[in-house]
């Protein structure tokens, strides 16, 4: 069931889908902060409460999400309440996510990469594809008016991607770090997994530095666009 953690539902320019609390900050947080600072309506939707995680309770993680949303300047943050560890392309999950898309009407949807190693991450990608289709169908038995997402971007999680969209986030690194560390239940204490570690910022900066070298900037956040981007050659 869709619930609001921060802000209020409204039409969004960008919406980032996060399988678990903190995934949006780690994978796309810098870009989301830049957009919010530019006056865009930006949101995050957690699909699960992260209840299977080794550290932190669902209640703690909801509070952390609200704190991070304020740091990032989000317009809205929501929770869908699907089962952690079981995110997949199911009819029930797709209907719930399609209803959420109709509620906040994002132009751009940002999702985990389809080749990510984590089952919940590539499961979220597959679920999102069906939900995008359902949300656009007039005859689908889903609350709200039909809505068609205009563009889908995939963000980097735990695996390499073939990025074709790079965003310079060097000017928002401080709030990006603060937003990640707002999830203190995950990044305090010892190493638990590849991403649940106090070294998360250092590890992620290594990747951001690599992508930044391709743009001759210090840090860049990578995305993979599913469709060709129309470019005005006079802007080059």
């Amino acid at each position: 069931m869709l619930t609001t953690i921060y802000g209020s539902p409204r039409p969004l320019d960008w919406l980032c889908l996060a399988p678990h609390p903190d995934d949006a900050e780690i994978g796309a947080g810098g870009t989301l902060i830049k957009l919010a600072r530019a006056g865009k309506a930006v949101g995050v939707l957690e699909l699960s409460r992260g209840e299977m995680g080794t550290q932190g309770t669902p209640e703690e993680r909801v509070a952390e999400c609200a704190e991070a949303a304020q740091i990032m300047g989000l317009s809205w943050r929501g929770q869908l309440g699907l089962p952690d560890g079981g995110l997949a392309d199911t009819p029930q999950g797709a209907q719930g996510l399609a209803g959420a898309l109709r509620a906040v009407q994002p132009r751009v949807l940002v999702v985990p990469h389809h080749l990510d190693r984590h089952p919940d991450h590539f499961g979220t990608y597959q679920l999102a594809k069906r939900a995008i289709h359902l949300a656009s169908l007039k005859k689908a038995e889903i609350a709200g008016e039909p809505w068609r997402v205009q563009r889908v971007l995939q963000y980097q999680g735990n695996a390499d991607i073939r990025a074709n969209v790079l965003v310079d986030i060097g000017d928002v690194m401080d709030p990006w770090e603060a937003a990640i560390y707002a999830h203190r239940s995950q990044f305090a204490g010892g190493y638990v997994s590849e991403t649940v570690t106090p070294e998360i910022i250092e590890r992620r900066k290594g990747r951001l530095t690599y992508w930044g070298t391709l743009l001759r900037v210090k840090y860049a956040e990578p995305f993979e666009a599913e469709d060709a981007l129309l470019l005005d050659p006079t802007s080059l």
Side-chain angles (χ1 to χ4, degrees):
M1 180 179 70
L2 179 65
T3 58
T4 290
I5 294 174
Y6 181 87
S8 58
R10 55 174 291 188
L12 298 174
D13 295 301
W14 284 54
L15 174 65
C16 182
L17 298 186
H20 316 100
D22 73 34
D23 282 328
E25 285 85 345
I26 295 171
T31 300
L32 300 179
I33 292 168
K34 282 189 71 102
L35 288 163
R37 289 189 170 190
K40 300 296 184 181
V42 181
V44 170
L45 176 61
E46 267 83 34
L47 269 61
S48 82
R49 300 181 302 156
E51 66 272 16
M52 296 293 287
T54 302
Q55 299 183 168
T57 66
E59 293 75 20
E60 288 174 327
R61 303 196 74 178
V62 165
E64 292 166 354
C65 283
E67 181 179 342
Q70 184 174 22
I71 293 169
M72 297 168 73
L74 300 182
S75 297
W76 176 79
R77 189 164 197 155
Q79 169 64 245
L80 200 55
L82 298 179
D84 184 11
L87 297 180
D89 178 9
T90 64
Q92 182 179 4
Q95 287 186 340
L97 181 51
L101 295 179
R102 288 187 174 189
V104 297
Q105 301 179 350
R107 289 191 306 104
V108 178
L109 189 66
V110 188
V111 302
H113 196 269
H114 68 284
L115 295 180
D116 197 293
R117 294 196 298 276
H118 195 304
D120 277 348
H121 287 222
F122 63 72
T124 294
Y125 170 84
Q126 294 163 351
L127 177 60
K129 295 294 286 185
R130 184 177 297 277
I132 290 168
H133 177 67
L134 278 178
S136 69
L137 297 180
K138 183 177 181 180
K139 294 183 179 180
E141 295 182 359
I142 299 168
E145 294 297 316
W147 181 256
R148 187 178 298 277
V149 172
Q150 295 180 20
R151 184 169 296 283
V152 176
L153 298 178
Q154 300 176 56
Y155 62 85
Q156 186 173 26
N158 301 311
D160 291 334
I161 69 172
R162 299 183 67 178
N164 52 17
V165 177
L166 298 175
V167 179
D168 180 358
I169 62 168
D171 58 339
V172 295
M173 292 301 288
D174 287 345
W176 173 76
E177 289 190 27
I180 291 178
Y181 280 139
H183 298 274
R184 57 187 59 83
S185 69
Q186 304 303 296
F187 306 120
Y191 173 91
V192 174
S193 69
E194 180 180 3
T195 52
V196 183
T197 167
E199 300 172 351
I200 182 63
I201 294 295
E202 294 177 34
R203 292 181 177 219
R204 202 68 189 189
K205 276 185 173 179
R207 290 185 176 181
L208 298 176
T209 299
Y210 165 74
W211 293 111
T213 61
L214 304 183
L215 291 178
R216 298 180 179 86
V217 300
K218 193 167 184 180
Y219 300 110
E221 215 160 46
F223 300 90
E224 188 171 322
E226 297 205 330
D227 301 310
L229 294 167
L230 186 62
L231 176 68
D232 177 1
T234 63
S235 67
L236 296 177

